[in-house]
């Protein structure tokens, strides 16, 4: 199978590239500023804001499957319009699209969200992600839209690097005790996305971990795993700040999990 990973040089993208290549697929991956390091992969420069370039790259590779894992939190054009450009290009080739979305499409007012809940974003990034979902659904109704949460690995994710900086480098900052998510391990997420790509599923799917934990609790778990002192992690409350975005968002993944053989573990299990 020919698989194209859009945003292949990112944290999730790199895992998708690695797993797809190891499974014997023909893999290409796009990047904006610099290619990834995986060997045996065709690295393609691409700016998602350029619709013509998106159509040319996807049409030129001729993928059976495209997984769009690209985003830029501060850039509406990349996150929203770029997703639409990818959907248009994939629909033109007859390939299968899996679009990675986010729990930031929700405000947190309901706390727990199922796949049929209507997005009500409260941040610019959440609004861009919600717009991207709408565009993908309209352009390619057969596509999978996979909402996920905070992505964690075995040391390489942004949140793990933040915890290390706070615990060892004297970096000033706090981890919120009221900012709750359902973290997912990057390998579980990548496996689930590829499984969905190889299925006949369509529409919204929730792909996150089973444990709802605060950023502070998650930081403590990471610190303990990595031999750091959790008492060096300072705490705060997101509710006491003016940062835009939801506070407590928990994705209910029960429906999606019933269609997956990949088990979506909780953070208290995979951060050890």
């Amino acid at each position: 199978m020919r698989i194209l990973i859009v945003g292949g040089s990112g944290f999730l993208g790199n895992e998708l590239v690695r797993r797809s290549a190891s499974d014997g697929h023909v893999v290409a991956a796009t990047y904006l500023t610099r290619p990834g390091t995986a060997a045996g992969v065709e690295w393609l420069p691409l700016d998602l804001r350029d619709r013509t370039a998106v159509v040319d790259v996807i049409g030129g590779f001729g993928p059976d499957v495209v997984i769009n894992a690209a985003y830029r939190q501060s850039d509406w054009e990349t996150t929203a319009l770029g997703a639409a450009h990818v959907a248009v290009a994939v629909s033109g080739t007859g390939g299968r699209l899996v679009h990675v979305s986010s729990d930031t499409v929700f405000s947190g007012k309901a706390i727990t969200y199922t796949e049929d809940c209507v997005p009500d974003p409260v941040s610019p990034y959440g609004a861009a992600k919600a717009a991207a979902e709408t565009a993908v659904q309209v352009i390619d109704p057969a596509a999978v839209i996979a909402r996920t949460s905070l992505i964690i690995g075995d040391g390489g994710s942004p949140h793990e690097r933040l915890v290390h900086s706070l615990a060892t480098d004297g970096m000033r900052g706090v981890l919120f005790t009221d900012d709750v998510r359902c973290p997912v391990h990057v390998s579980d997420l990548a496996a689930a996305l590829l499984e969905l790509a190889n299925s006949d599923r369509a529409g919204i799917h929730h792909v996150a971990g089973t444990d709802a934990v605060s950023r502070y609790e998650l930081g403590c778990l990471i610190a303990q795993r990595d031999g750091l002192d959790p008492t060096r992690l300072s705490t705060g409350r997101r509710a006491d700040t003016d940062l835009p975005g939801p506070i407590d968002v928990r994705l209910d993944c029960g429906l999606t999990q019933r269609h997956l053989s990949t088990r979506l573990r909780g953070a208290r299990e995979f951060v050890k």
Side-chain angles (χ1 to χ4, degrees), residues 3-148:
I3 299 179
L4 174 64
I5 309 299
V6 178
S9 59
F11 182 59
L12 171 59
N14 182 68
E15 177 64 17
L16 287 165
V17 167
R18 185 199 65 78
R19 186 176 289 267
S20 298
S22 67
D23 288 345
H25 300 296
V26 178
V27 182
T30 74
Y31 65 93
L32 179 61
T33 56
R34 60 182 180 275
T37 58
V41 175
E42 184 179 358
W43 288 98
L44 305 169
L46 180 62
D47 187 336
L48 291 183
R49 296 169 296 185
D50 185 337
R51 178 172 177 165
T52 300
V54 173
V55 170
D56 288 346
V57 165
I58 292 177
F61 181 68
D64 301 302
V65 169
V66 174
I67 301 180
N68 182 12
Y71 72 95
R72 296 184 75 186
Q73 287 198 1
S74 60
D75 188 341
W76 175 278
E77 285 188 285
T78 296
T79 303
L81 292 180
H85 295 162
V86 171
V88 167
V90 175
S91 65
T93 65
R96 176 137 169 86
L97 174 61
V98 176
H99 173 77
V100 181
S101 191
S102 166
D103 56 12
T104 59
V105 301
F106 297 119
S107 69
K109 291 179 181 178
I111 299 181
T112 300
Y113 293 87
T114 56
E115 285 90 343
D116 59 353
C117 289
V118 177
D120 60 342
V122 291
S123 71
Y125 178 59
K129 276 296 195 181
E133 287 188 3
T134 300
V136 170
Q137 287 178 300
V138 170
I139 296 166
D140 187 356
V144 168
I145 297 170
R147 293 185 185 131
T148 192

Side-chain angles (χ1 to χ4, degrees), residues 174-261:
V174 300
L175 294 177
F176 295 128
T177 57
D178 60 344
D179 189 332
V180 177
R181 296 293 186 273
C182 295
V184 63
H185 195 280
V186 66
S187 66
D188 295 350
L189 177 56
L193 294 174
L194 288 167
E195 188 177 343
L196 287 168
N198 200 36
S199 74
D200 60 358
R201 305 292 300 168
I204 304 290
H205 292 71
H206 284 180
V207 188
T210 54
D211 294 334
V213 299
S214 71
R215 295 201 182 238
Y216 173 68
E217 181 184 353
L218 180 60
C220 289
L221 290 171
I222 292 168
Q224 291 165 353
R225 180 197 68 188
D226 297 344
L228 306 176
D229 183 2
T231 65
R232 293 178 60 90
L233 301 175
S234 299
T235 64
R237 287 183 359 114
R238 184 168 186 147
D240 296 331
T241 75
D242 58 0
L243 291 173
I247 292 179
D248 189 341
V249 175
R250 311 178 188 200
L251 294 181
D252 182 339
C253 303
L255 179 61
T256 296
Q257 181 65 89
R258 289 196 288 273
H259 295 283
L260 292 174
S261 60

